[in-house]
Amino acid sequence: MARTLALATVCLLAAGLSITAAQGLFGAPPANVPADNAAPATPPAAENEPAAPVRPGSPTAVVKPFYEHVGLELDPAERSDFADPAKSVLDKSDALRKSGQGECLDPNMALDNAAYDRAEIDKSLKTVEAVKGDEAKVIVAFIIAGNPHRLEWKLRKVGDGWKITDLLSVTGEWALSQYQCE
């Protein structure tokens, strides 16, 4: 049943449905989304069902390290995983930090700026990948301190690999590409 629902999710996302329609796949939508726009919640997967393996080189494989190493998205050594507009914002944030004028970005954007609890994240982390041509989305859902979080990683095929072009928080209503780090 869970695999059927996961396949249906990928099909819906690949068909180009809005994130508002897709967000019901990971529970109730954020409070500011009208209830009549919400899709029904998907029942949680069985506790003992193993997660599908991540294919090397897939969009999910590009996103996964950001959940294994908190704050990795702000590490200039990881800039090769990004393309514009995300790369430009991260580069401007680096320049601002080096100038001594402060920080522009939160240190744990991949966790929706929530408190970090490795065990809680590992237990609840779910991903869904949708690829359409040279563009992809990886929806990530997890629970921290009883609060659900959903993020959407947008990627674009560049050469033989995938590059992150934006990171959006469905829960927190922010997008990396919208930050003004100047």
Side-chain angles (χ1 to χ4, degrees), residues 50-98:
V54 175
R55 291 173 296 137
S58 70
T60 302
V62 174
V63 169
K64 185 179 178 190
F66 297 97
Y67 292 92
E68 296 169 343
H69 307 284
V70 174
L72 192 62
E73 64 274 16
L74 298 182
D75 183 351
E78 300 301 317
R79 232 28 113 235
S80 63
D81 287 330
F82 293 88
D84 287 333
K87 185 179 182 307
S88 292
V89 172
L90 293 167
D91 289 344
K92 287 178 182 178
S93 176
D94 293 342
L96 186 65
R97 182 174 37 262
K98 286 179 187 174

Side-chain angles (χ1 to χ4, degrees), residues 160-178:
D160 290 338
W162 291 98
K163 303 287 183 183
I164 300 162
T165 58
D166 209 354
L167 171 59
L168 298 90
S169 169
V170 176
T171 312
E173 299 181 345
W174 56 263
L176 175 58
S177 62
Q178 299 302 310

Side-chain angles (χ1 to χ4, degrees), residues 94-136:
D94 293 342
L96 186 65
R97 182 174 37 262
K98 286 179 187 174
S99 74
Q101 295 181 24
E103 295 288 329
C104 173
L105 302 174
D106 292 308
N108 63 348
M109 295 180 79
L111 296 178
D112 204 14
N113 306 316
Y116 173 69
D117 182 333
R118 163 63 74 202
E120 198 170 15
I121 292 166
D122 288 347
K123 185 172 103 176
S124 65
L125 187 70
K126 306 286 183 217
T127 61
V128 175
E129 175 183 298
V131 176
K132 187 173 186 180
D134 286 346
E135 301 207 355

Side-chain angles (χ1 to χ4, degrees), residues 143-165:
I143 298 172
I144 296 178
N147 297 311
H149 294 270
R150 288 183 304 280
L151 292 111
E152 176 182 322
W153 295 76
K154 292 186 177 187
L155 298 96
R156 179 177 57 236
K157 189 84 165 194
V158 177
D160 290 338
W162 291 98
K163 303 287 183 183
I164 300 162
T165 58

